[in-house]
Amino acid sequence: MQTATREEIEAADAADEFRQALAFPRTCEPCKAERRRQVEEAERASERERWDELGPVRQWARQVMAAPHEFAILDTETTGLGWDAKIVEISVTDGAGNVLLDTLVHPGLPIPEEATTIHGITDEDVKNADRFGTILPRLTRALEGRRVIIYNSSYDTGVLSYELNRHQQEHSPTLPGSEPVRPYDQHPAAAEWMDAQQWDRCAMLAYAVHVGDWSDYWGDWRWQKLRGGHRALGDCRTVVERIREMAERPDPF
């Protein structure tokens, strides 16, 4: 049997260490710090270039954090993503994440399986829940006097408008001599309720500006997923975290 000498073993170990160093390059701590400094400076330079758009977003977020009781964060879970989606859960918090309303909602029809797959809410969960019209007074009180913030506001305001129309058309009789409201028309009472709310800046669009991930395809800042867990209350509180993140980011000057 041939035995390797001490010198041969040490040479082989040195060769292994060299190969590992090539495969997993090591960077000294000062080099890492310099790289972090360069990345941070590049980010600040990018923010300075788009400050006309980014500055108002930061200022808005700081206003919310400074007076959270003046704001309401609203989120819904629904039966789908179409124009006729029904609400199965709705939550409202203030700007600090304190609960103002958190309730399941009976949609009046079975919840599609694909919707349950997303938010986990089943027909069994909502079988004893109130209908939207019963919850409406509580929702109105929760929003009263507050500026309402929503993540993807165009979707949730559309859902609310649809539910208001549905409720009013089911419970508001047509006055003698007046034209009946067609199913696709906005009921006057629904329009009045929507107009009475203080709809604020869309948190999703504000956060897209904050992140600054440009999409050449859309020609705009890329929308970021909320990642709040797809339950209404959790999503509301995640919106608060996103706003706080925007507010606490140092300005690039």
Side-chain angles (χ1 to χ4, degrees):
M1 179 177 67
Q2 187 174 3
T3 304
T5 66
R6 180 182 181 84
E7 290 77 9
E8 289 172 332
I9 294 173
E10 290 177 348
D13 289 343
D16 285 342
E17 290 178 0
F18 180 71
R19 284 192 293 270
Q20 290 175 9
L22 290 178
F24 304 100
R26 298 173 182 176
T27 305
C28 66
E29 289 304 317
C31 295
K32 290 179 181 179
E34 175 60 19
R35 178 57 181 161
R36 285 194 298 268
R37 188 195 67 77
Q38 292 174 355
V39 169
E40 290 171 358
E41 178 52 37
E43 290 176 348
R44 287 194 295 270
S46 173
E47 290 184 353
R48 287 193 292 269
E49 289 179 359
R50 58 193 183 91
W51 188 249
D52 286 349
E53 190 175 7
L54 181 59
V57 165
R58 295 270 173 83
Q59 183 180 14
W60 167 78
R62 288 162 185 165
Q63 288 174 347
V64 177
M65 291 294 99
H69 60 282
E70 296 180 4
F71 295 84
I73 315 295
L74 181 148
D75 188 78
T76 65
E77 300 300 331
T78 64
T79 58
L81 298 176
W83 64 269
D84 59 346
K86 285 80 175 172
I87 296 174
V88 298
E89 187 176 51
I90 186 166
S91 294
V92 180
T93 72
D94 65 11
N98 299 307
V99 179
L100 303 175
L101 174 67
D102 181 36
T103 182
L104 292 166
V105 184
H106 196 299
L109 46 74
I111 302 173
E113 183 177 348
E114 55 269 27
T116 296
T117 299
I118 294 172
H119 49 56
I121 301 171
T122 66
D123 293 332
E124 180 67 19
D125 293 330
V126 301
K127 70 177 183 179
N128 296 320
D130 289 328
R131 298 287 294 268
F132 178 79
T134 303
I135 294 166
L136 182 57
R138 294 164 56 197
L139 174 62
T140 304
R141 288 194 297 272
L143 302 183
E144 186 175 6
R146 292 183 170 90
R147 293 162 57 184
V148 186
I149 300 170
I150 302 173
Y151 204 87
N152 193 0
S153 60
S154 62
Y155 174 74
D156 285 82
T157 54
V159 167
L160 286 168
S161 182
Y162 174 79
E163 286 284 23
L164 287 160
N165 277 330
R166 189 162 69 123
H167 168 67
Q168 295 295 345
Q169 288 169 5
E170 290 175 357
H171 297 89
S172 299
T174 302
L175 297 176
S178 63
E179 292 291 329
V181 179
R182 295 173 298 179
Y184 302 107
D185 290 340
Q186 189 173 43
H187 193 284
E192 181 180 1
W193 190 93
M194 293 294 292
D195 290 342
Q197 308 313 312
Q198 301 179 58
W199 305 114
D200 205 85
R201 182 188 290 268
C202 174
M204 182 180 72
L205 299 183
Y207 192 66
V209 174
H210 169 77
V211 173
D213 182 11
W214 183 259
S215 169
D216 289 332
Y217 180 82
W218 294 110
D220 205 345
W221 304 112
R222 195 183 310 277
W223 298 350
Q224 304 297 314
K225 292 182 178 179
L226 180 59
R227 304 189 187 281
H230 291 296
R231 290 300 297 265
L233 181 56
D235 285 353
C236 285
R237 285 175 167 163
T238 302
V239 172
V240 174
E241 293 173 8
R242 297 291 174 267
I243 296 173
R244 182 177 292 110
E245 176 187 334
M246 290 185 273
E248 294 179 351
R249 172 81 174 184
D251 292 341
F253 301 101

